[in-house]
Amino acid sequence: MRMTSRKKEILSFFEPDHREWVTGEIGSPPFDVSGVAYLLSGMDSFKSRHHLESARRTLEAMVNDGLLEKIISYEQRQDSTQSGAGKGVWCNCSRYGLIGQCLVMRDRDGSDNYIEGEFDRVN
């Protein structure tokens, strides 16, 4: 396994020092490919598919190297094709997070049944 500068940069997104900034930009972990591509390449990631594919290959390599964990979640995404512009489509989405901290749960209760307050992560 080679620890490249790109892999180091992706791992830095999970550090507590960067957590607030990253969460404000793309949401909390686990991250999807488009969010990581945006953090790595900025707005250029929306102009060229190359940035998305490069980020995906790096994330998959990190999963194979045992640095990250991959989960598949069923999510609604914006349809970017001309025929379905503006509509949401449901699809399987790959998400990547630190090993042992990747958990996505569906909110079945909705906003009517939430708990107010703050939380602390216990490792």
Side-chain angles (χ1 to χ4, degrees):
M1 168 185 80
R2 279 185 39 210
M3 183 55 86
T4 62
S5 61
R6 174 151 290 184
K7 289 178 183 178
K8 288 179 185 177
E9 187 175 1
I10 291 172
L11 288 175
S12 76
F13 300 153
F14 295 97
E15 292 176 0
D17 297 342
H18 300 115
R19 181 66 59 107
E20 187 175 332
W21 173 75
V22 171
T23 301
E25 291 291 319
I26 64 170
S28 59
F31 304 129
D32 62 354
V33 175
S34 61
V36 172
Y38 170 73
L39 291 177
L40 293 171
S41 305
M43 294 301 285
D44 290 339
S45 65
F46 299 117
K47 297 175 188 173
S48 169
R49 188 150 184 88
H50 163 75
H51 296 288
L52 284 173
E53 286 300 313
S54 176
R56 183 194 60 76
R57 284 191 307 271
T58 302
L59 289 166
E60 288 295 329
M62 293 175 77
V63 169
N64 292 337
D65 293 341
L67 297 172
L68 294 178
E69 180 178 23
K70 176 181 174 179
I71 60 166
I72 306 292
S73 64
Y74 192 62
E75 302 177 11
Q76 188 170 13
R77 292 298 179 122
Q78 183 177 349
D79 188 357
S80 59
T81 63
Q82 276 190 324
S83 63
K87 296 181 181 179
V89 296
W90 286 91
C91 58
N92 288 325
C93 178
S94 298
R95 292 195 163 265
Y96 301 85
L98 294 176
I99 294 177
Q101 296 183 6
C102 233
L103 179 63
V104 175
M105 295 175 21
R106 182 179 301 270
D107 179 12
R108 299 189 192 284
D109 296 327
S111 62
D112 297 334
N113 204 7
Y114 69 93
I115 300 172
E116 288 190 33
E118 298 180 10
F119 71 92
D120 290 325
R121 182 179 298 269
V122 178
N123 288 334

